Amino acid sequence: MTSNNDQIAGSQKRASFKLLLSGLTGKLLLWFLLISLVPVTAVSLISYLNSRNSLIRAANDLLVSTARIEAEKVLSLGERWLIDARMQALNKENIRLLKDMRKAYEASGQSPEKFVESFSWLEIEDERGGDLRNFQSAYGYADIFLIDSDGNILFSSFANDDLGTNLFSGTSDTLFARTAGKVFKTGMAGFSDFEVYGPLNNQVAGFVIHDMLDDEGNRIGLLAIGIHPMQIDFVMNDLSDSGKKSAEVYLVGTDLKMRTHSILAKKETLLKKRIDTEQTRVWSEERKAAKVETDHMKKALVYMGPHGKKVLGVHYPIRIGEVPFGVIAEIEEQEAFAPAIELRAIVIVLLIATGVVVLFFAVFLARRIARPILDLSKSADRVAAGRFDQEIQIKSRDEIGRLEKSFNNMVKNLRDISGKAQRENWLKSGAAQLNDVMSGEKRPGALSRGVISFLAGYLNAQVGAIYLMDNNNQLRMEGS
């Protein structure tokens, strides 16, 4: 019994649901939802897009300005390296130091390796090398070298493993040696780029090299300053100080490897991690095409960053000496667009909530509007089938109420017309049948009995009698 009741209840619910979605009710629901949700959705979408575009512009401006500022810092740092190298190369005491060491080396008849271990070298280094050592320590340089015209390293402020070696024979495959060779040929100061340099305990270092001339203008050798990449790390920190946890600025070289330490990476990245992203490829292509962009031309790109997350990033090209670098400024897309993402979540929640509320009221109003019309339609179908006993209860005074009243009046009129027609047909049918009964030659008694029998049956009468007046004007019953 319970199972049957459940089935009946389920059938009624399905029928109600079909009724709700079909015909006029479904159309009303659809229009209610469209009229309410389309404007809200359009406004919300426009607000979200405007917010996102504003954030893109703000992030673009932040990244471009940061990249430019950091690039200018690195350029200023590179210029300081070149100026320091030039000042030390022109320093009379340093020129005298190299000349004295070269003279003592030639007089010793020893190899460079033996000479730097001799007493004469130690005496000269102790007497005149203090200024360079103090300068190197004061400015945080990795090392300072004095190299004679044959490429022999006769002085090292740190006395590293390359002291007493020949730059063009023992370490000729290094960027340091190649750049020193160019400086010897051209007389123009240069920067070697950063590399893993064995004599400095395999540390990463770059070298700024300047030629040294005597009073007569003759080239007597080179002065080279070893640069720690940490110096660039110290100045490239603007985005990391901006409160953005995922923001980062770093330097890449022509091989697309990092020339700075990544503050976001857990592992060492300096000259180890190759940054092959859309942004670095754009910088590389622009560098090869010698294309120059101004700040207002730079647009932030959204791409997969070096740490496996989507980032918003820009680049800024610089050169230290003749070596090109790219300053890359990035911030994770999720953090850059966090307000827009929050707004999107709020908009979605509001749309869902609005849809639920509108659906609730739409169902209520649609049923309120459609139910009387459906009842009216069913009653009209029954009237069309000839059932004129229909009457709709009027529940409202609006247009639907007036329609229901008109329908009731129409049914009443149809009922009256049908009743009148039925009575007329009844009379006509009875008259015709009575005429049939009375036709023919019959005696008065038989005729009377036939007529009264027909009338009693036609009128559903229980009893009946017919009287005729005789010649004496007396009524006499002739049939019953």
Side-chain angles (χ1 to χ4, degrees):
M1 186 67 178
T2 303
S3 176
N4 292 333
N5 292 336
D6 293 340
Q7 290 178 355
I8 293 172
S11 299
Q12 291 176 346
K13 288 181 179 179
R14 286 192 294 271
S16 300
F17 185 72
K18 289 181 179 179
L19 179 64
L20 184 65
L21 295 182
S22 63
L24 180 61
T25 307
K27 292 178 181 178
L28 288 172
L29 279 176
L30 179 62
W31 279 109
F32 279 135
L33 290 173
L34 288 176
I35 291 171
S36 59
L37 292 182
V38 168
V40 175
T41 303
V43 171
S44 301
L45 181 61
I46 292 171
S47 300
Y48 168 72
L49 292 177
N50 288 337
S51 174
R52 181 180 173 85
N53 291 334
S54 298
L55 288 171
I56 289 175
R57 287 193 296 270
N60 187 83
D61 293 342
L62 172 65
L63 292 171
V64 169
S65 61
T66 300
R68 176 175 52 79
I69 292 171
E70 297 305 293
E72 290 174 354
K73 287 182 180 181
V74 176
L75 283 173
S76 297
L77 190 62
E79 289 175 2
R80 197 197 84 189
W81 296 338
L82 291 168
I83 291 172
D84 285 350
R86 182 172 182 274
M87 295 301 295
Q88 294 303 315
L90 295 176
N91 186 285
K92 298 295 184 181
E93 289 298 319
N94 295 333
I95 293 173
R96 182 181 175 188
L97 173 60
L98 179 58
K99 290 176 68 174
D100 287 350
M101 283 190 168
R102 171 69 181 186
K103 183 177 180 180
Y105 162 64
E106 291 177 344
S108 69
Q110 297 175 318
S111 65
E113 292 88 351
K114 294 295 183 180
F115 170 68
V116 296
E117 296 176 355
S118 65
F119 176 78
S120 58
W121 178 88
L122 184 60
E123 186 177 25
I124 298 171
E125 196 274 342
D126 186 59
E127 180 180 353
R128 297 197 179 92
D131 289 344
L132 282 178
R133 286 194 299 272
N134 291 336
F135 177 80
Q136 174 265 322
S137 177
Y139 287 91
Y141 289 123
D143 206 343
I144 298 179
F145 305 94
L146 293 179
I147 306 164
D148 68 11
S149 56
D150 293 328
N152 297 314
I153 300 177
L154 299 182
F155 176 84
S156 168
S157 60
F158 259 172
N160 285 306
D161 293 344
D162 51 357
L163 179 62
T165 62
N166 187 280
L167 189 62
F168 303 127
S169 59
T171 56
S172 59
D173 60 336
T174 63
L175 295 176
F176 182 18
R178 292 178 213 164
T179 307
K182 290 180 182 178
V183 175
F184 262 124
K185 291 179 181 179
T186 63
M188 297 178 62
F191 178 65
S192 68
D193 197 356
F194 293 99
E195 63 181 331
V196 178
Y197 191 63
L200 284 176
N201 297 322
N202 289 319
Q203 294 182 20
V204 176
F207 299 91
V208 177
I209 305 169
H210 200 289
D211 64 345
M212 299 181 71
L213 307 176
D214 61 14
D215 293 338
E216 289 76 30
N218 299 315
R219 185 173 293 112
I220 61 172
L222 303 173
L223 180 138
I225 298 178
I227 309 295
H228 281 302
M230 193 177 297
Q231 292 191 22
I232 298 179
D233 289 334
F234 285 149
V235 299
M236 295 184 70
N237 59 3
D238 264 13
L239 272 181
S240 60
D241 293 341
S242 65
K244 305 290 187 180
K245 295 180 180 179
S246 63
E248 183 178 28
V249 186
Y250 55 87
L251 195 69
V252 296
T254 55
D255 56 0
L256 302 187
K257 290 185 178 180
M258 276 193 177
R259 297 304 193 269
T260 51
H261 294 88
S262 171
I263 61 174
L264 301 178
K266 297 179 180 180
K267 296 182 179 180
E268 178 64 47
T269 57
L270 184 62
L271 281 181
K272 292 184 178 181
K273 187 174 182 64
R274 191 171 187 272
I275 310 300
D276 189 7
T277 63
E278 183 178 355
Q279 193 64 253
T280 57
R281 289 193 293 271
V282 169
W283 166 72
S284 183
E285 291 171 1
E286 289 179 359
R287 177 182 60 82
K288 292 175 183 177
K291 183 179 179 181
V292 178
E293 287 187 343
T294 56
D295 281 2
H296 72 276
M297 296 171 61
K298 295 184 182 299
K299 299 295 182 182
L301 301 177
V302 177
Y303 54 92
M304 191 61 67
H307 307 298
K309 296 181 179 179
K310 277 194 172 183
V311 298
L312 193 69
V314 299
H315 72 270
Y316 204 98
I318 62 171
R319 284 181 177 270
I320 300 177
E322 296 298 319
V323 181
F325 296 97
V327 176
I328 311 295
E330 295 173 341
I331 184 172
E332 285 185 14
E333 181 187 30
Q334 188 172 4
E335 184 174 13
F337 299 150
I341 294 172
E342 292 177 3
L343 176 61
R344 181 177 64 189
I346 293 172
V347 166
I348 292 173
V349 171
L350 287 176
L351 285 176
I352 294 174
T354 303
V356 171
V357 173
V358 169
L359 183 62
F360 174 78
F361 284 103
V363 170
F364 174 76
L365 290 175
R367 282 184 169 179
R368 186 177 179 86
I369 294 171
R371 177 63 68 182
I373 297 176
L374 291 174
D375 292 342
L376 188 62
S377 175
K378 291 179 180 179
S379 296
D381 290 339
R382 288 192 287 268
V383 169
R387 296 173 57 185
F388 299 113
D389 58 344
Q390 305 298 309
E391 185 173 354
I392 297 176
Q393 184 178 359
I394 299 174
K395 298 180 180 178
S396 61
R397 297 181 180 179
D398 54 13
E399 287 78 2
I400 294 177
R402 289 197 290 273
L403 179 62
E404 291 172 336
K405 184 177 180 181
S406 298
F407 178 83
N408 288 338
N409 291 334
M410 181 192 71
V411 173
K412 182 177 180 298
N413 291 333
L414 287 174
R415 189 165 55 244
D416 292 342
I417 292 171
S418 177
K420 184 177 180 181
Q422 285 178 355
R423 285 193 297 274
E424 290 178 353
N425 290 335
W426 180 79
L427 289 173
K428 289 179 181 179
S429 177
Q433 293 181 45
L434 180 61
N435 185 55
D436 291 338
V437 171
M438 295 174 66
S439 62
E441 295 182 0
K442 296 180 181 179
R443 293 178 63 82
L447 179 62
S448 297
R449 285 191 296 274
V451 169
I452 196 64
S453 296
F454 169 76
L455 290 175
Y458 198 74
L459 296 174
N460 294 321
Q462 297 294 324
V463 294
I466 185 167
Y467 292 84
L468 295 177
M469 186 174 287
D470 59 13
N471 294 328
N472 297 321
N473 292 326
Q474 297 292 321
L475 289 174
R476 185 179 68 252
M477 186 176 65
E478 288 292 332
S480 61

